[in-house]
Amino acid sequence: MEILAFGVQADEKPLIERAFEGHHDIRCLDVSLTEDTAPIAAGYEIISTSVNADLGPRVLQTLAAGGTRMIAQRSTGFNNIDLEVAERLGLTVARVSYYSPYSVAEFAWTLAMAVNRRIVRASSRTRDFDFRLDGLMGRDLRGRTAGVLGTGKIGEAFTRIAHGFGMNLLGWDIAENPACVALGMKYVEKEQLLAEADLISLHVPLLPSTRHIIDAAALKAMKNDAILVNSSRGGLVDTDALVTELRAGRFTGVGLDVYEAEAGLFFRDKSLEVVEDDTLARLVTFPNVIVTSHQAYYTVDAVRQIVDATLKNVLDYTAGRRSENVLVPRAS
């Protein structure tokens, strides 16, 4: 059987092809799955998609009409998939429920340190042989407070690094993580965390209850010199409200690896086009903001785990097995 994989990055392709060798043929495309590209999947029983694929009702209907019966998404998040429609159409859907939490946690810290120590500005200056230190002053993090919203596997990994820095630890989640408590984390209400933390990092999934968890009120509750990092899902932050606060001169730095309107932008080369997203265009102009293109997961270790899990999902489907990765089971 030949499988069609959408949204495959150049670095990812050899890992996918090597993993599937001896099991199934796989055709890798660098284009994302959208309404325009969905017809390409006609005749493929199984397709694989990336996190920014459009798997809304219209795309799902096109896939089902073309003979697709199984979607293997290469990510943990699945907020881009209309699961109710998929089930109604008889489509099996699986995701990757786990991969290296260290890839995302370490990248979140990379963003935090980069904005704190003005690394991008410093690098740009020295390329022009400007070796002044004006405007490059950062802060020691030891003794300051890290606030972690979401203390699952990734949040725990982030917390362990914060503990290594000698920071005070505040956490917020629906349930306490004993490993984080053992590190000295104090669980508090979200409002207290926002008000007291010097560094806030987001590690919760995007759900209706967490959408814009960092809204205008939350941003106003934060310290003027706080650092905000989001390496989870773009919809957790009200970006328009964030731009308003940045225009007012607030926050030491903001590091964003995700953006709520990233679909159709991230993972693509838009350098020769006019980007019509005024909010994103404004956001990247702030000197204390770093925006990266959803790359926190992108280590060879994590991608190998993602690819291996995707292959397992495909093999489980063809063998009629069901695993914890299945979001919509195979129709009987």
Side-chain angles (χ1 to χ4, degrees):
M1 181 187 301
E2 186 176 43
I3 297 160
L4 183 64
F6 285 94
V8 177
Q9 304 298 312
D11 297 329
E12 184 184 19
K13 183 178 179 181
L15 297 178
I16 292 177
E17 292 177 337
R18 194 174 304 126
F20 275 77
E21 187 176 359
H23 298 284
H24 292 287
D25 294 330
I26 189 161
R27 177 187 175 195
C28 295
L29 303 180
D30 59 1
V31 297
S32 296
L33 177 60
T34 65
E35 287 189 35
D36 293 332
T37 61
I40 300 173
Y44 288 90
E45 181 179 348
I46 302 174
I47 68 165
S48 178
T49 56
S50 62
V51 67
N52 277 333
D54 176 358
L55 287 163
R58 292 170 66 93
V59 171
L60 292 173
Q61 289 166 5
T62 300
L63 293 175
T68 296
R69 294 294 176 263
M70 194 266 181
I71 299 167
Q73 176 137 303
R74 302 187 308 280
S75 72
T76 299
F78 54 91
N79 54 282
N80 61 317
I81 309 172
D82 192 320
L83 298 179
E84 291 184 3
V85 172
E87 184 173 15
R88 188 166 67 246
L89 293 170
L91 294 168
T92 301
V93 180
R95 61 155 179 168
V96 177
S97 59
Y98 175 85
Y99 61 85
S100 169
Y102 309 108
S103 60
V104 179
E106 290 172 6
F107 194 82
W109 268 104
T110 300
L111 290 174
M113 294 303 296
V115 295
N116 179 40
R117 301 307 301 267
R118 320 297 192 204
I119 297 299
V120 174
R121 180 183 293 183
S123 178
S124 296
R125 282 186 182 180
T126 55
R127 285 177 180 274
D128 293 330
F129 298 98
D130 178 354
F131 300 105
R132 292 173 300 155
L133 298 182
D134 298 347
L136 301 182
M137 185 175 288
R139 296 181 296 174
D140 287 3
L141 293 178
R142 180 176 179 82
R144 288 190 161 84
T145 299
V148 186
L149 288 170
T151 56
K153 292 182 175 65
I154 297 174
E156 178 187 330
F158 184 91
T159 299
R160 291 187 182 279
I161 299 172
H163 180 262
F165 273 97
M167 300 187 75
N168 303 313
L169 305 172
L170 295 179
W172 177 87
D173 209 327
I174 57 174
E176 295 186 3
N177 183 334
C180 293
V181 173
L183 293 170
M185 173 171 279
K186 178 182 178 183
Y187 280 84
V188 296
E189 294 297 321
K190 181 182 69 173
E191 291 72 21
Q192 181 179 346
L193 184 151
L194 294 172
E196 296 182 6
D198 300 290
L199 165 62
I200 296 171
S201 191
L202 309 182
H203 301 288
V204 296
L206 179 59
L207 305 168
S209 60
T210 60
R211 182 169 184 80
H212 286 181
I213 193 172
I214 302 298
D215 57 11
L219 291 163
K220 290 185 182 299
M222 292 166 55
K223 293 182 176 182
N224 285 334
D225 60 354
I227 293 172
L228 174 65
V229 174
N230 185 12
S231 58
S232 182
R233 288 293 181 268
L236 299 176
V237 177
D238 183 336
T239 316
D240 289 327
L242 176 61
V243 168
T244 297
E245 296 302 311
L246 289 166
R247 290 182 64 186
R250 299 191 64 220
F251 307 134
T252 290
V254 174
L256 303 175
D257 184 50
V258 287
Y259 173 61
E260 59 182 325
E262 69 183 54
L265 290 173
F266 283 18
F267 305 153
R268 299 183 182 184
D269 181 2
K270 296 286 186 177
S271 60
L272 299 179
E273 301 177 27
V274 175
V275 175
E276 298 178 355
D277 188 326
D278 292 338
T279 301
L280 180 60
R282 184 72 181 91
L283 190 63
V284 299
T285 65
F286 292 103
N288 58 335
V289 174
I290 293 178
V291 178
T292 52
S293 53
H294 208 139
Q295 70 181 79
Y297 78 97
Y298 206 52
T299 67
V300 65
D301 310 88
V303 172
R304 278 177 177 159
Q305 291 174 346
I306 290 169
V307 171
D308 288 345
T310 301
L311 172 61
K312 181 180 182 299
N313 290 340
V314 168
L315 296 177
D316 284 346
Y317 167 81
T318 56
R321 296 187 297 263
R322 182 174 177 178
S323 73
E324 70 281 357
N325 289 340
V326 175
L327 299 170
V328 179
R330 184 170 185 170
S332 57

